[in-house]
C-alpha cells in the first residue's frame, strides 16, 4: 500500500523529470513578486511605445535563451501583456528585415551584433 509520503515523492520526481516543477516554482515566484510589489507606479518609467518595444525585445531574447522562469518574472514585473508582440510588428517598429542569418536570432541579439560590426569599420 502506497503511503502519502511515497505518493508525494513520486509526484515530485515526476514533476522534476519533465521540467514542470521548475515552471511551477517560477510562476509562483513571479506571482509572489507581483503581489509583494508595492512600488508606486510613478517610480517606473511610463509605458511609452519605446519602453514597450524594448521590453518586448528583452522578452524575445529571454525566451530565445530558454530563460523561461526569468521571462515569466520579467513579464509579471514589467506589466507586459501575456501574449508577446509578433516579431513582424517588432521588426517594423525598429525598421529592420530578416536575412537568412538573422531569422533564427532574437532581434535584440541581431541589433547588438550589427552595431558591434559597424563600430569595427
Amino acid at each position: 500500500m502506497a503511503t502519502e509520503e511515497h505518493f508525494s515523492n513520486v509526484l515530485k520526481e515526476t514533476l522534476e523529470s519533465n521540467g514542470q516543477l521548475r515552471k511551477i516554482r517560477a510562476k509562483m515566484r513571479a506571482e509572489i513578486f507581483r503581489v509583494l510589489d508595492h512600488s508606486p507606479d510613478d517610480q517606473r518609467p511610463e509605458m511609452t511605445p519605446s519602453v514597450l518595444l524594448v521590453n518586448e525585445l528583452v522578452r524575445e531574447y529571454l525566451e530565445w535563451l530558454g530563460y523561461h522562469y526569468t521571462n515569466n518574472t520579467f513579464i509579471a514585473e514589467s506589466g507586459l501583456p501575456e501574449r508577446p508582440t509578433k516579431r513582424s510588428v517588432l521588426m517594423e517598429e525598429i525598421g529592420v528585415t530578416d536575412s537568412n542569418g538573422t531569422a533564427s536570432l532574437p532581434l535584440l541579439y541581431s541589433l547588438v551584433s550589427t552595431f558591434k560590426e559597424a563600430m569595427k569599420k
Side-chain angles (χ1 to χ4, degrees):
M1 178 181 260
T3 65
E4 185 176 325
E5 183 178 346
H6 174 72
F7 175 74
S8 178
N9 289 336
V10 169
L11 180 60
K12 183 179 177 184
E13 288 173 13
T14 302
L15 290 172
E16 282 177 344
S17 69
N18 66 17
Q20 290 300 310
L21 188 58
R22 286 185 289 161
K23 287 180 183 179
I24 292 167
R25 286 179 176 154
K27 286 181 181 182
M28 187 170 33
R29 272 189 227 105
E31 186 61 22
I32 289 169
F33 287 135
R34 188 190 65 74
V35 169
L36 296 177
D37 183 16
H38 295 301
S39 61
D41 288 337
D42 61 349
Q43 289 183 351
R44 292 185 184 157
E46 181 183 341
M47 187 60 80
T48 63
S50 293
V51 171
L52 180 60
L53 175 62
V54 171
N55 285 348
E56 287 290 354
L57 292 172
V58 170
R59 179 205 310 237
E60 182 194 34
Y61 180 70
L62 292 173
E63 187 67 32
W64 177 75
L65 285 171
Y67 294 171
H68 305 293
Y69 316 114
T70 302
N71 201 23
N72 285 339
T73 302
F74 176 69
I75 291 166
E77 192 171 16
S78 66
L80 282 171
E82 189 73 26
R83 297 180 71 126
T85 302
K86 291 183 180 181
R87 181 179 174 95
S88 59
V89 173
L90 295 175
M91 289 172 46
E92 186 177 318
E93 286 290 318
I94 58 178
V96 299
T97 56
D98 269 334
S99 67
N100 289 340
T102 63
S104 63
L105 298 172
L107 293 168
L108 185 59
Y109 184 95
S110 297
L111 289 170
V112 170
S113 295
T114 301
F115 182 75
K116 285 179 70 174
E117 286 299 316
M119 294 300 291
K120 289 181 182 178
K121 296 177 182 180

